Amino acid sequence: ETGVTQTPRHLVMGMTNKKSLKCEQHLGHNAMYWYKQSAKKPLELMFVYNFKEQTENNSVPSRFSPECPNSSHLFLHLHTLQPEDSALYLCASSQPGADNEQFFGPGTRLTVL
Amino acid sequence: AQSVTQPDIHITVSEGASLELRCNYSYGATPYLFWYVQSPGQGLQLLLKYFSGDTLVQGIKGFEAEFKRSQSSFNLRKPSVHWSDAAEYFCAVGAREYGNKLVFGAGTILRVKS
C-alpha cells in the first residue's frame, strides 16, 4: 500500500449504531487530519493530530471521537450520528514544519439513515 | 480571518479550449498556496503549489498557476483542456504562522464538452 488509505470506502449506518473509520498513511508523516466534505459546502477541517497529539478540534460534536494510536494510524469513532452527518470523510497527512502540503486518502462515503 | 474564494461554482469549456479557474484569498501572513483536483468518488490530488520564488508555478497534467500578491489571487490555467480534466478543483491557503492548517475554497466544478 502506498500513500493514504481509508477503510471502509462506503458505510451506511443507523442513528443508534457505533462504527469506526480508519485511516493509514505510508508516507512517514507526523501530522494527520480528518475533514468532512458535504455537498455544496467547503471542506471542513474536523481534527488535527501532530505527533499523535490532538492539536485542533474545530468545534466538532462529541458524537465524533478521534483516536491516533501512532503517527501512521488515525481513527474516527462514530456514535449516535444524525442524518446531517452524512458526507464524505477525508483523511490527510503531512509532515509538520514542511510546506503544509497535505496528502489525501480516497475518503469514506458515510450515509446515516 | 483567513478565507479563500473561488467565485465560479461551475465552469464549462470545450475540449481543446483554454481554461482559467479563479482563486482569491484573504490572509494576514505570507501564504502558501495550493490547487487540488478531485475526481468523483476520490480524494484530493495536488496539482501544484507555491511557497516563494517564481510566481508562475508549473504543475502536473499541464496546469500552471500564477501568484499575484497585489491582487491576492492564485489563478489556475491550462492552455488546452482535455475531457479527462473534468473534475472539481479546490484552491487552498496555508501559512507557517498558522501551523499546518489549510483553508480551502468551496471548489469549482469543471465540465468539458466535446
Side-chain angles (χ1 to χ4, degrees), chain A residues 43-77:
Chain A
L43 211 59
E44 298 173 57
L45 178 65
M46 300 175 71
F47 302 103
V48 180
Y49 278 81
N50 284 285
F51 297 93
K52 302 187 297 178
E53 298 298 319
Q54 187 181 120
T55 56
E56 184 88 16
N57 177 339
N58 203 20
S59 302
V60 180
S62 60
R63 58 185 182 270
F64 295 91
S65 175
E67 178 189 3
C68 189
N70 55 62
S71 292
S72 298
H73 294 86
L74 185 64
F75 295 89
L76 188 63
H77 305 298

Side-chain angles (χ1 to χ4, degrees), chain A residues 9 31 33 35 37 41-43 45 48 50 55-56 88 90 94 96-107, chain B residues 27 32 34 36 38 41-46 49 51 88 90 93-96 98-107:
Chain A
R9 294 293 309 276
Y33 311 77
Y35 287 89
Q37 187 177 33
K41 292 176 71 174
L43 211 59
L45 178 65
V48 180
N50 284 285
T55 56
E56 184 88 16
L88 182 68
L90 292 165
S94 72
D99 52 22
N100 286 22
E101 178 181 347
Q102 294 182 14
F103 294 77
F104 283 82
Chain B
Y27 229 69
Y32 302 148
F34 305 84
Y36 285 86
Q38 185 180 32
Q42 301 298 316
L44 277 65
Q45 180 186 20
L46 182 71
K49 57 188 178 185
F51 302 120
E88 189 161 15
F90 294 91
V93 181
R96 188 177 298 280
Y98 296 112
N100 49 354
K101 291 191 298 182
L102 294 181
V103 175
F104 284 82

